[in-house]
Amino acid sequence: MAGSSATAPAAEPLPRSIFKKFLVMLCSLLMSLYVFYCLADRCQTLPGPIIAAGAASEEEEGGGGGYLGGSAELPPWQAAAARRKRLLQRLKQQQRRRRQEAAGAGPEMMPGAGGSRPGGSGGGSAAGTPGTLTSLLGEGSKRLPQAVIIGVKKGGTRALLEFLRVHPDVRAVGAEPHFFDRNYERGLAWYRDLMPRTLEGQITMEKTPSYFVTKEAPARISSMSKGTKLIVVVRDPVTRAISDYTQTLSKKPDIPTFESLTFKNRTTGLIDTSWSAIQIGIYAKHLENWLLYFPIGQILFVSGERLISDPAGELGRVQDFLGLKRIITDKHFYFNKTKGFPCLKKAEGSSKPHCLGKTKGRTHPDIDQEVVQRLRDFYRPFNMKFYQMTGQDFGWD
Ligand code: A3P
């Protein structure tokens, strides 16, 4: 009994130790499985080739696919070039969108491309226009103008330029560069540097009304490019002369009267053609000088009077001449009763209505009607000649 009681307790721990060993083995197996599972899972979530992560962010920036792994294989300068290309594409898309908006919109339109204004009148370009984006990104390039408003002083040149700038494919210098008359010795590189940056398909423009009466200007512009398109805004030479005088009077109130400056000799009625206010209005004479270098078809004559009575109509002709889509229409203008002139519903780079400044649309002094009539007689033959040369009757007589 004692022997059986001695063996019985010895047999009991055996299954317990086996059970313990089994438990330990099971635990290690489970732990190994867990570790293995974790490692396998982790491997799946790790990025594969590190470059792929970089490429993904490039895709976001570019906003266009198709170049995920490719950029990582590109050398840095090619990757940068590809980025620039995509930025340009984005700008062009924006420009297309804006063109569509401007074409279909009255109040909702987003007027035109930006323009650099090196000290010129008429405000600055606002952020958000392709022109401004172009400048900020340093995209596009500065080009010599393909079209120039060459005259005439007091014809309505500022109005034409401000209206044209609404077009997304026009970029213009705001200030008058006076390159072909006063600054020619500075060279074409200086001139080009004044220009705003443009994207392909955009036209670079400037206006300097004194070119029309500058003897050297036609040859100089032609030597820059024979293909330069020229625009002249002309206005009744008598009203133009009075407008010119009014401008001088506003700066120098002590000058003699218009009547006394008009005549060399009031008694004989001899007109003083050396007075610039009179001289500028002999359009036919100045035009002869331009026709020595440019065919008449390369010059567009805009009526200063119609630019006031029907700005959209005149802008239609200008857009056609420049090979632009007719985007600027009557939807872009309203007549401002206080100003007495057409104004833009929204100016370039702004959401507000915009009229020209106080120096445009001045009240003219009353001029002796006899003198006005004498001037009408004086200009008549020159006007007739001008109508003949241009094939347009401006209706001044
Ligand atoms: P006045 O001030 O004598 O009326 P320029 O810009 O070439 O100097 O021409 C100025 C002339 O542009 C003005 O002469 C004015 O008659 C004319 N003009 C044409 N459209 C105009 C507009 N929408 N607002 C103001 N002036 C305009």
Side-chain angles (χ1 to χ4, degrees):
M1 196 65 195
S4 69
S5 67
T7 52
E12 217 180 85
L14 187 68
R16 272 179 75 181
S17 77
I18 289 172
F19 180 69
K20 269 186 189 167
K21 277 181 190 163
F22 176 72
L23 255 180
V24 169
M25 275 174 67
L26 188 68
C27 280
S28 4
L29 186 70
L30 281 172
M31 276 191 53
S32 328
L33 272 172
Y34 179 69
V35 167
F36 181 75
Y37 172 79
C38 285
L39 278 174
D41 189 47
R42 174 85 184 117
C43 281
Q44 271 183 4
T45 57
L46 268 180
I50 300 280
I51 52 172
S57 66
E58 292 227 31
E59 188 188 32
E60 272 164 34
E61 186 191 336
Y67 131 81
L68 202 97
S71 71
E73 284 154 25
L74 287 173
W77 61 89
Q78 281 185 20
R83 252 199 319 275
R84 283 168 65 85
K85 202 172 155 194
R86 286 198 315 283
L87 275 172
L88 272 175
Q89 278 168 353
R90 270 215 324 236
L91 281 170
K92 282 179 185 164
Q93 276 169 4
Q94 273 186 15
Q95 196 184 342
R96 263 198 301 276
R97 229 186 358 258
R98 284 163 46 73
R99 216 174 287 145
Q100 284 161 0
E101 282 170 359
E108 288 312 309
M109 74 192 176
M110 274 288 291
S116 72
R117 297 167 193 238
S121 61
S125 339
T129 66
T132 318
L133 266 179
T134 312
S135 304
L136 286 174
L137 293 169
E139 295 294 354
S141 46
K142 294 185 174 208
R143 296 181 175 88
L144 290 168
Q146 298 97 325
V148 181
I149 300 174
I150 54 171
V152 297
K153 184 183 177 192
K154 305 320 292 173
T157 55
R158 174 59 61 191
L160 178 63
L161 193 71
E162 289 299 303
F163 297 164
L164 260 180
R165 291 171 93 151
V166 169
H167 201 293
D169 289 339
V170 172
R171 301 222 55 222
V173 194
E176 296 174 5
H178 282 277
F179 176 64
F180 296 105
D181 54 350
R182 296 183 205 152
N183 292 306
Y184 196 61
E185 71 292 345
R186 292 180 190 250
L188 280 171
W190 175 87
Y191 185 47
R192 187 188 350 245
D193 204 45
L194 291 182
M195 300 299 150
R197 289 181 185 280
T198 46
L199 296 173
E200 239 181 83
Q202 287 184 317
I203 295 178
T204 306
M205 289 191 73
E206 71 116 320
K207 79 121 180 158
T208 305
S210 49
Y211 291 161
F212 189 63
V213 297
T214 301
K215 217 163 166 275
E216 301 80 14
R220 288 173 175 178
I221 295 184
S222 167
S223 86
M224 171 183 75
S225 168
K226 279 187 170 35
T228 312
K229 292 185 178 181
L230 308 171
I231 300 176
V232 196
V233 190
V234 285
R235 180 183 187 186
D236 177 351
V238 181
T239 328
R240 197 219 68 81
I242 298 170
S243 170
D244 203 338
Y245 172 79
T246 311
Q247 174 163 298
T248 313
L249 191 68
S250 73
K251 292 175 193 162
K252 298 176 193 162
D254 298 335
I255 55 166
T257 62
F258 180 88
E259 291 82 347
S260 60
L261 287 167
T262 296
F263 297 101
K264 265 197 175 137
N265 183 327
R266 180 114 197 220
T267 333
T268 60
L270 190 65
I271 306 273
D272 187 354
T273 53
S274 68
W275 183 30
S276 70
I278 303 286
Q279 236 256 328
I280 292 171
I282 312 173
Y283 302 142
K285 184 178 141 285
H286 303 296
L287 181 59
E288 274 172 1
N289 195 21
W290 287 88
L291 293 180
L292 297 175
Y293 294 87
F294 291 93
I296 192 87
Q298 216 168 304
I299 312 174
L300 181 76
F301 301 91
V302 172
S303 157
E305 286 81 13
R306 280 200 297 272
L307 194 59
I308 297 169
S309 63
D310 177 18
E314 282 308 276
L315 263 290
R317 292 179 63 235
V318 179
Q319 289 170 96
D320 290 349
F321 174 72
L322 294 175
L324 295 167
K325 209 175 149 203
R326 281 196 177 209
I327 282 179
I328 308 164
T329 65
D330 50 4
K331 288 180 188 153
H332 290 79
F333 301 99
Y334 75 99
F335 186 81
N336 185 306
K337 279 185 194 160
T338 320
K339 175 87 183 163
F341 283 91
C343 298
L344 284 168
K345 282 185 188 163
K346 291 180 183 182
E348 175 245 329
S350 153
S351 58
K352 290 179 191 161
H354 173 69
C355 294
L356 297 195
K358 279 182 193 152
T359 60
K360 306 294 173 184
R362 292 185 177 104
T363 309
H364 296 173
D366 281 336
I367 306 296
D368 182 340
Q369 280 310 297
E370 229 183 274
V371 175
V372 170
Q373 194 50 50
R374 178 69 193 91
L375 273 177
R376 294 223 165 281
D377 296 342
F378 167 78
Y379 278 120
R380 189 165 300 109
F382 297 111
N383 289 346
M384 292 304 154
K385 175 99 188 286
F386 185 66
Y387 298 169
Q388 240 175 29
M389 292 168 93
T390 59
Q392 276 175 258
D393 182 340
F394 290 90
W396 298 320
D397 300 282

